[in-house]
Amino acid sequence: MVNGRAKGASFEREVAKLLNAELGISFKRNLEQYRAGFHDDLTPDDDTFPWSIECKRYAGGSFNPSWWQQASDAAQAKGKLPCVIYKFDRRPIRVAIPLGAIFDDTDGHLVDVSLEAFCYITRELME
């Protein structure tokens, strides 16, 4: 039996390391996420980082719209763009972001990209 909170915390640490390696930005886990709502999972050491990150790690399933609502609520509270970084067992990490972050879109569409593409988009947004 796997402890869900421990699995989530481990994934958050993994994502923080991967993002640091790709972007050169350090991230720390935001423990307020367990105490109160409207908090993202990872906090960057660079205020220009444009995203509020919600991490999700599950054995299987599909993207859950409630994850997006959670990410959107936290992002709105911080004045950032929402993103959900998620992974299912034996599958690569994926990132859901608003299409409006890269194209004109007022309809609230989402795009699902690889972690590498997410980092590329992030570097472009931060320039």
Side-chain angles (χ1 to χ4, degrees):
M1 188 78 120
V2 175
N3 177 316
R5 186 175 278 189
K7 187 175 188 177
S10 174
F11 183 58
E12 290 168 6
R13 287 188 296 272
E14 176 186 357
V15 168
K17 287 179 187 174
L18 291 169
L19 291 176
N20 179 262
E22 284 285 329
L23 300 171
I25 298 170
S26 295
F27 292 83
K28 64 179 181 173
R29 293 184 59 236
N30 184 355
L31 300 181
E32 283 298 313
Q33 65 181 307
Y34 296 114
R35 297 183 196 114
F38 306 110
H39 290 280
D40 48 8
D41 290 340
L42 297 174
T43 302
D45 68 358
D46 184 338
D47 290 337
T48 65
F49 184 76
W51 307 100
S52 173
I53 299 174
E54 183 67 34
C55 296
K56 297 294 181 183
R57 175 72 170 87
Y58 287 93
S62 60
F63 185 84
N64 186 330
S66 70
W67 300 346
W68 187 253
Q69 187 60 54
Q70 187 178 4
S72 296
D73 290 344
Q76 186 174 14
K78 292 187 84 173
K80 300 282 185 173
L81 295 167
C83 74
V84 178
I85 301 177
Y86 66 99
K87 180 174 178 18
F88 298 111
D89 287 354
R90 294 175 292 287
R91 307 289 271 183
I93 294 173
R94 303 298 298 172
V95 185
I97 60 172
L99 179 60
I102 50 177
F103 293 110
D104 287 334
D105 173 57
T106 58
D107 295 327
H109 293 103
L110 302 180
V111 290
D112 190 76
V113 298
S114 68
L115 186 65
E116 293 78 12
F118 172 75
C119 290
Y120 175 82
I121 292 165
T122 299
R123 284 190 291 272
E124 291 293 313
L125 290 175
M126 291 180 73
E127 283 189 354

